[in-house]
Amino acid sequence: MPGHIHALLLSEYLDGELAGRKRAGVERHLAECGFCRTRFEELRSAVQLVALHGRQPCPLDPHETAWHAITNAARYRGGVTIRGWRRPIWRLGMIGVLATSLVLGLALGMQRAQAPQAGVKLVHRDIPDVRTLHDAYRSQQALGGPDGIILTAW
Amino acid sequence: MDRAFTEQPLHSLPDNLLVREAKNGDHAAYAELVSRYQDKIYTIVYGQLQSREDALDLTQEVFLKAHANLANFREDCVFYTWLYRIAVNACIDFRRRRRRAPQPFSLEGEVLGDVGFEPVDARVTSDPERSLENEELSHLIRQAIQSLPDALRLAVILHDIEGLPQKEIAAILDCPLGTVKSRIQRGRCEIRARLQPYLRGT
């Protein structure tokens, strides 16, 4: 094998994927070439170290986290996680909904306060300020006649 | 098959039986699957997101999604291949969402290290010096992995850490086998180059 071994071939040899003449060729070359042997040893060490130290242990107890999450699956609404309300997008969304509800509530309240109340209005021909039917009859009696009470609906 | 008839502890059951039990509503069976694959999924997710908080959230999301879609899981494929695919897709979705949303400030990793916070090592060891060396080496190796481009990192994690065969990685990543081989090889070469000063001493 002239020159040096290609890195992909070294990687395949390390994984035990070479067979037959290819494998024998790589082995023969490694026995003769110090440069490739060093590269191969370094590659093997690197891969071993990655396998040994590369895993990130999940810092949560499965029975405390995912298990709870699953048993409380009703709380899952397409992206809300169980451990908290940490996603800014959800927080912003909820704040937006609350703010909108508050503004709408205030606007409706003000509109209702300003709008005249629908119903029946009591009007008397001769008495300017009639509030109740009782007032009207009393005023009517005082004026001495049955006429004058008008009920206006709107 | 009802687990009551098998009379076997959950941890001794193979994945396919646990999946079947979980499909029938056995939460304990699914919890066993979660505890089996939690570290593996977290490693993949952390490798892609490089944020502890996001990785924790997304790891749970992966298991929730898998649980919600368990009925759709066809038993002609391996459970972990299916689960890893959900994890990889969840990472892609998360990063897509993250690109649209503003980046929150994180107090993790180097920032915490800079101000003197170190992760607590709860392991009991008889040789603190050696433990420190190991911790330093682990840190360097993880940094080397994190420094890889996304595609290479994922291939290296799935192959060299999780030990998946290249064919399965190709199925998970939905790309040709040759691409997977090339990514693993390039990732390994970059890690070797980064760790070279330490490898010469080993």
Side-chain angles (χ1 to χ4, degrees):
Chain A
M1 190 177 286
H4 297 298
I5 303 174
H6 190 274
L8 181 58
L9 208 56
L10 269 188
S11 187
E12 284 178 335
Y13 177 68
L14 181 63
D15 287 336
E17 286 179 2
L18 297 185
R21 286 175 61 189
K22 251 187 180 177
R23 183 186 176 87
V26 169
E27 281 172 351
R28 203 167 40 247
H29 183 86
L30 286 178
E32 292 164 0
C33 176
F35 177 77
C36 285
R37 204 165 43 244
T38 308
R39 276 170 66 219
F40 177 69
E41 289 304 327
E42 285 177 357
L43 186 68
R44 183 158 62 184
S45 301
V47 170
Q48 282 173 348
L49 285 172
V50 165
L52 202 65
H53 296 271
R55 174 156 292 159
Q56 294 277 350
C58 184
L60 297 171
D61 176 3
H63 294 280
E64 192 182 292
T65 55
W67 166 236
H68 270 277
I70 287 145
T71 50
N72 298 321
R75 290 169 64 189
Y76 177 60
R77 296 284 182 274
V80 177
T81 53
I82 304 308
R83 280 184 55 253
W85 203 31
R86 254 188 274 122
R87 295 280 170 79
I89 192 161
W90 286 103
R91 252 181 283 172
L92 283 175
M94 290 310 289
I95 289 167
V97 168
L98 285 174
T100 312
S101 313
L102 194 67
V103 168
L104 279 175
L106 280 172
L108 280 173
M110 283 172 70
Q111 196 182 7
R112 188 166 285 185
Q114 284 168 0
Q117 285 193 347
V120 177
K121 189 180 179 185
L122 206 54
V123 178
H124 194 282
R125 195 173 52 200
D126 303 319
I127 309 164
D129 189 21
V130 178
R131 289 179 191 278
T132 65
L133 202 56
H134 182 68
D135 279 349
Y137 276 112
R138 275 174 56 191
S139 306
Q140 188 67 39
Q141 280 169 355
L143 288 169
D147 298 325
I149 298 172
I150 303 160
L151 292 173
T152 311
W154 72 92
Chain B
M1 187 196 302
D2 193 335
R3 187 157 57 88
F5 293 112
T6 68
E7 290 181 358
Q8 282 182 353
L10 283 172
H11 65 264
S12 66
L13 294 178
D15 284 0
N16 59 344
L17 277 185
L18 288 173
V19 169
R20 213 169 293 166
E21 294 297 324
K23 274 183 174 180
N24 292 334
D26 187 342
H27 288 311
Y30 193 71
E32 173 61 25
L33 287 168
V34 171
S35 66
R36 254 177 223 188
Y37 290 105
Q38 184 173 252
D39 281 359
K40 294 170 192 285
I41 296 298
Y42 180 76
T43 303
I44 292 170
V45 171
Y46 184 87
Q48 291 301 292
L49 305 183
Q50 303 180 28
S51 152
R52 185 177 175 276
E53 287 293 300
D54 290 338
L56 285 173
D57 279 351
L58 209 61
T59 300
Q60 287 187 76
E61 206 170 303
V62 167
F63 284 110
L64 286 167
K65 270 185 187 165
H67 187 259
N69 293 296
L70 210 53
N72 302 330
F73 170 65
R74 296 189 319 272
E75 290 182 31
D76 56 349
C77 75
V78 188
F79 175 70
Y80 67 74
T81 310
W82 181 70
L83 192 64
Y84 285 2
R85 195 177 296 166
I86 292 177
V88 169
N89 287 337
C91 289
I92 293 167
D93 286 348
F94 181 86
R95 276 165 36 197
R96 200 175 292 148
R97 289 201 302 262
R98 174 56 61 84
R99 267 199 292 273
R100 290 191 206 124
Q103 296 271 340
F105 180 71
S106 170
L107 276 176
E108 285 178 33
E110 288 174 10
V111 180
L112 280 178
D114 287 347
V115 291
F117 288 93
E118 286 293 330
V120 178
D121 186 358
R123 288 171 302 174
V124 179
T125 172
S126 56
D127 188 351
E129 205 171 306
R130 193 176 175 128
S131 167
L132 197 68
E133 277 174 16
N134 269 340
E135 193 57 48
E136 200 178 299
L137 186 63
S138 295
H139 183 66
L140 283 168
I141 291 160
R142 283 175 196 160
Q143 266 188 338
I145 297 168
Q146 298 303 336
S147 71
L148 295 176
D150 291 342
L152 306 192
R153 192 189 317 124
L154 189 55
V156 167
I157 288 174
L158 289 171
H159 189 260
D160 288 341
I161 300 176
E162 299 308 330
L164 292 192
Q166 293 174 350
K167 269 186 188 170
E168 284 186 22
I169 298 173
I172 290 168
L173 302 181
D174 199 19
C175 65
L177 182 62
T179 308
V180 171
K181 280 187 179 184
S182 159
R183 285 178 186 174
I184 292 169
Q185 175 260 315
R186 279 159 53 207
R188 283 173 168 181
C189 279
E190 287 197 25
I191 291 174
R192 182 180 69 93
R194 277 188 76 101
L195 296 179
Q196 208 163 29
Y198 306 94
L199 297 174
R200 283 186 180 150
T202 58

